[in-house]
Amino acid sequence: MAVVRRYRAAQDKIVLEQAVGVLMERWSCEAEQARTHLVRLSAAAGLPLAEVAGLAVGGPR
């Protein structure tokens, strides 16, 4: 069970970094600004951050 959680956490981290890259490219912003946008979008939508990141990169979470 712990292995599955670590694997999922690693996947989430990869997706978050990909989403930051996508937002940086699309919105011409810095990495910190992209992370802030993701957090705000997540809060506004009431969805987990990893799910919003998955939507930003075009993949399901």
Side-chain angles (χ1 to χ4, degrees), residues 30-44:
E30 298 296 321
E32 192 58 38
Q33 290 173 316
R35 286 184 191 93
T36 301
H37 288 310
L38 282 172
V39 170
R40 288 183 181 162
L41 287 169
S42 173

Side-chain angles (χ1 to χ4, degrees), residues 3-4 6-7 9 15-17 20 22 24 27 31 40 46 53 55:
V3 172
V4 172
R6 283 194 303 255
Y7 178 74
V15 170
L16 286 169
E17 289 306 313
V20 167
V22 167
M24 287 173 60
W27 294 349
R40 288 183 181 162
L55 292 170

